[in-house]
Amino acid sequence: MKFNRRHFLKTAGVTAAGILTSQLPLSTANAVQQKPANQHTVMGLIAPKMDIVRVGFIGVGQRGSGHVKHFCHLEGVEIKAICDTDASVLDKSIEFVEAQGLAKPSRYTGNDNAYKDLLSRDDIDIVIISTPWKWHAPMAIDTMESGKHAFVEVPLALTVEECWQIVDTAERTQKNCMMMENVNYGRDELMVLNMVRQGVFGELLHGEAAYIHELRWQMKEIDSKTGSWRTGWHTKRNGNLYPTHGLGPVSQYMNINRGDRFDYLTSMSSPALGRALYAEREFPADHQRNQLNYINGDINTSLIKTVKGRTIMVQHDTTTPRPYSRHNLIQGTNGVFAGFPNRIAIEQGGSGNFHKWDMDMENWYAKYDHPLWLQMGKEAERNGGHGGMDFLMLWRMVYCLRNGEPLDQDVYDGAAWSVVNILSEESVNNRSNSVDFPDFTRGAWKTGMPLGIVGA
């Protein structure tokens, strides 16, 4: 692909500025949008095989630095360039790459637009984006416009308009834009997907997903790290701020965008009390954390109805004192799996007593462990990253790119899972009335093939 660097830098700036400053009213943005004549679906997109996957990184803080380390241990990749506005974390990642005996990556820093110089290179195939949320959409779009595949941390976007812009850009450029939902590569989630595909739970009826993770301590990160920017979202939006970790796996169980899709959502939030109480307890009275108006309800509960009539409960709680959970529940006509702790109850093919939970997972692992985990699980656990799911996700991405296979998650998945953030806020602000989901696939979900149980 021939590429004009000066033209790209000019248009990229316009694109990013437009995304950050403009939003369509939700009633308009949720409407069915016609596909322009020059666009084609990217469902099942297969990129030309890559002998070597040449990688650039934008953002190597707490999350991105881990990705750099994993890529150093993946076969068939070359780390070409790294960008971060924080020179100290940038240099640490570069030094780590060199310490592995690999070539020194090029270094980009100095201002918020330094990433555009990285994108102007013609020796990079994919870009890993691990930056604060507000940058995800503009950087993903700029990446695809530069002729590269975009791999973005969660969430994919923060407005309905951004979701549509990302989808349109992916379809027009025919580039992958994958939101890197790592939880889909956890051992338990992969096993349950395998069980669903083999019909263990019968016909699926209902799922439950969550991100319940007490993170008030991040409020003490004032000038850097995740809490320095993530805390502010609790003052801007009242809804489910972070839906994808629990929702991604349940969506794959239910073939969302591949035979079914999200239809509408209703949402409600509890009072927003915990953050203010924590700030009062942990900071001086005149501290900036005590000057904020925390509006995001401590617990948000949203209900999703799919076109085929299934239901999904999605919860968000990063404030209350309680154990971590993603729920990860899937209920079918023949039984149920629930996580945290893992337990199964099956009518036919189980212990024979579906009134009692089976808490012993070893027999289930032995019979239904996913082929990807059987092949790469030990390597994934050895390399780490949330129990190995991070490494396996990145390994699988590279495998698909090198072998000419479609990715396990596409731009439509990222948009559908992320948009729960925006729609939940609209519902909460309108007495929990239902809000329609946009069909980002423009009808292609009807013929989309379910995610298969693949090996390597």
Side-chain angles (χ1 to χ4, degrees):
M1 176 179 177
K2 291 188 176 180
F3 175 79
N4 186 309
R5 178 178 181 274
R6 180 177 298 175
H7 173 74
F8 166 69
L9 291 177
K10 180 179 178 181
T11 57
V14 173
T15 301
I19 292 172
L20 292 174
T21 59
S22 63
Q23 296 183 24
L24 290 175
L26 284 174
S27 58
T28 301
N30 287 16
V32 174
Q33 297 198 12
Q34 296 299 314
K35 184 187 299 180
N38 64 336
Q39 290 180 199
H40 304 280
T41 184
V42 289
M43 189 170 290
L45 178 67
I46 298 177
K49 290 183 180 181
M50 304 176 189
D51 291 334
I52 300 295
V53 180
R54 301 170 298 177
V55 189
F57 293 86
I58 305 175
V60 286
Q62 291 173 289
R63 187 73 178 140
S65 60
H67 293 328
V68 171
K69 292 176 180 177
H70 288 318
F71 266 91
C72 286
H73 301 295
L74 291 174
E75 183 181 353
V77 303
E78 292 179 359
I79 298 175
K80 291 294 187 178
I82 303 177
C83 176
D84 200 293
T85 55
D86 185 334
S88 63
V89 300
L90 173 62
D91 290 339
K92 287 180 181 178
S93 282
I94 291 176
E95 291 167 3
F96 182 88
V97 174
E98 288 187 286
Q100 311 313 303
L102 303 174
K104 181 178 181 179
S106 297
R107 180 180 186 274
Y108 295 90
T109 189
N111 60 72
D112 286 346
N113 292 311
Y115 76 94
K116 296 174 186 175
D117 290 323
L118 181 150
L119 294 181
S120 70
R121 297 170 62 115
D122 59 6
D123 62 346
I124 293 175
D125 302 306
I126 73 171
V127 177
I128 309 297
I129 300 168
S130 308
T131 53
W133 296 346
K134 71 176 184 179
W135 287 102
H136 289 185
M139 287 178 172
I141 290 172
D142 287 347
T143 295
M144 290 183 283
E145 294 286 11
S146 76
K148 301 166 180 59
H149 301 285
F151 293 83
V152 191
E153 270 302 330
V154 301
L156 185 63
L158 294 171
T159 69
V160 177
E161 183 187 15
E162 283 184 342
C163 289
W164 276 117
Q165 289 173 323
I166 290 174
V167 167
D168 286 341
T169 304
E171 291 182 343
R172 179 168 45 78
T173 63
Q174 291 294 290
K175 294 298 178 183
N176 285 299
C177 182
M178 172 178 156
M179 184 186 73
M180 297 186 292
E181 183 42 74
N182 60 326
V183 173
N184 286 5
Y185 295 88
R187 182 185 187 183
D188 296 328
E189 287 78 8
L190 287 170
M191 180 187 73
V192 174
L193 178 63
N194 193 17
M195 296 173 74
V196 167
R197 290 294 182 269
Q198 296 192 41
V200 174
F201 304 111
E203 292 294 322
L204 300 187
L205 304 167
H206 174 76
E208 296 183 10
Y211 187 67
I212 297 172
H213 189 187
E214 191 276 308
L215 294 174
R216 290 171 298 175
W217 54 269
Q218 287 186 340
M219 295 169 66
K220 294 182 179 180
E221 298 173 342
I222 306 299
D223 298 319
S224 63
K225 298 185 178 181
T226 305
S228 64
W229 54 265
R230 189 164 174 172
T231 299
W233 284 102
H234 289 265
T235 72
K236 300 174 184 177
R237 182 165 282 173
N238 185 10
N240 188 321
L241 297 181
Y242 204 65
T244 73
H245 281 335
L247 188 57
V250 171
S251 297
Q252 289 191 339
Y253 306 156
M254 289 188 175
N255 295 331
I256 298 302
N257 290 339
R258 295 170 172 84
D260 197 0
R261 76 170 183 89
F262 299 149
D263 192 2
Y264 59 89
L265 167 153
T266 184
S267 182
M268 59 182 63
S269 291
S270 75
L273 301 177
R275 296 264 167 173
L277 290 171
Y278 184 85
E280 183 180 5
R281 187 181 75 210
E282 298 293 329
F283 300 99
D286 59 352
H287 193 277
Q288 60 179 283
R289 292 298 192 222
N290 277 309
Q291 312 308 311
L292 297 175
N293 180 27
Y294 301 98
I295 65 170
N296 192 62
D298 293 354
I299 304 172
N300 175 271
T301 302
S302 301
L303 291 175
I304 297 172
K305 188 79 166 176
T306 77
V307 170
K308 288 193 171 181
R310 297 161 174 159
T311 54
I312 307 171
M313 182 188 76
V314 191
Q315 286 191 317
H316 175 270
D317 174 8
T318 60
T319 299
T320 68
R322 61 192 294 191
Y324 181 93
S325 177
R326 295 190 302 271
H327 287 342
N328 194 28
L329 183 147
I330 193 71
Q331 176 71 61
T333 55
N334 190 51
V336 61
F337 173 93
F340 302 89
N342 288 343
R343 53 207 190 274
I344 296 177
I346 300 292
E347 183 171 21
Q348 297 180 26
S351 65
N353 180 9
F354 59 84
H355 292 289
K356 182 179 179 180
W357 288 109
D358 182 355
M359 308 287 287
D360 183 1
M361 289 294 106
E362 292 307 314
N363 290 333
W364 298 103
Y365 288 139
K367 189 173 182 179
Y368 294 109
D369 251 338
H370 194 287
L372 284 178
W373 192 266
L374 289 173
Q375 177 176 345
M376 291 298 298
K378 292 188 183 301
E379 181 72 9
E381 289 178 330
R382 182 162 49 250
N383 282 276
H386 294 92
M389 63 176 66
D390 293 356
F391 180 83
L392 184 56
M393 173 184 69
L394 301 178
W395 179 89
R396 176 66 179 164
M397 286 160 40
V398 170
Y399 179 91
C400 290
L401 293 170
R402 296 187 71 200
N403 289 275
E405 295 186 8
L407 300 172
D408 301 323
Q409 302 170 40
D410 59 29
V411 69
Y412 309 114
D413 296 322
W417 304 346
S418 296
V419 81
V420 171
N421 181 324
I422 303 105
L423 303 189
S424 64
E425 179 190 33
E426 183 179 6
S427 179
V428 167
N429 291 340
N430 192 25
R431 293 179 57 83
S432 301
N433 282 317
S434 63
V435 182
D436 290 342
F437 276 85
D439 177 10
F440 295 111
T441 76
R442 295 182 172 99
W445 65 271
K446 298 175 184 177
T447 56
M449 297 299 295
L451 186 67
I453 303 300
V454 296

